[in-house]
Amino acid sequence: MSLARIDTSRKAAIHVRTGASGSGKSWGVKEAIKKDSRLCVFDPDDEYGEIIGMITVTKARDLLDYLKRHPKGALKIRWVAAGQKAFNLWAMACFEWGNCTVVAEELSGVTSPSKAPIGWHTLVSRG
């Protein structure tokens, strides 16, 4: 991880949506991000495939290859994977990719209020 690349002049825009199942959280997020051109989604429940232009990957190698091939330009990609290891890899990859909108679905399954995986901590505190 190259900390020298961090642009500390940028302002982060962190939004959290909470609510009961079926309350419209995912719908609201999809509406908010549908015009973003540089997007990376952690999608363990396979919910974001209908976004126009979204590429779906299910393997870590494919996720990393796509991000590497699009270092600056537009890309909408979602990783349909589950588990804390997958989530941590995704978060670290998003941080390295940089300057993008990220969506992390189902956080309660991969992190906790008292201790975030290192990739997530880095992404939200330094990304």
Side-chain angles (χ1 to χ4, degrees):
M1 178 168 25
S2 173
L3 298 181
R5 292 180 356 154
I6 299 171
D7 180 356
T8 58
S9 67
R10 293 184 320 178
K11 292 184 180 180
I14 298 173
H15 304 271
V16 177
R17 294 202 185 228
T18 62
S21 293
S23 65
K25 298 179 302 289
S26 293
W27 177 87
V29 170
K30 290 174 196 174
E31 285 296 305
I33 65 170
K34 65 183 175 184
K35 292 185 180 179
D36 289 345
S37 63
R38 194 165 163 84
L39 175 66
C40 194
V41 179
F42 182 74
D43 190 9
D45 291 341
D46 197 6
E47 297 180 76
Y48 284 74
E50 75 274 3
I51 293 176
I52 295 170
M54 182 71 76
I55 294 168
T56 300
V57 294
T58 58
K59 296 178 181 166
R61 178 181 310 224
D62 294 338
L63 173 68
L64 298 175
D65 285 346
Y66 268 105
L67 297 181
K68 186 176 181 178
R69 288 194 319 253
H70 297 85
K72 300 285 183 199
L75 175 66
K76 294 181 182 186
I77 190 165
R78 70 186 181 118
W79 190 19
V80 180
Q84 191 175 51
K85 286 176 87 173
F87 176 72
N88 194 49
L89 185 143
W90 168 85
M92 289 189 296
C94 290
F95 176 79
E96 287 296 324
W97 192 43
N99 218 10
C100 61
T101 299
V102 298
V103 175
E105 275 287 330
E106 303 302 333
L107 276 176
S108 64
V110 292
T111 190
S112 70
S114 62
K115 185 66 177 164
I118 189 66
W120 183 242
H121 169 77
T122 302
L123 183 61
V124 298
S125 67
R126 305 200 72 166

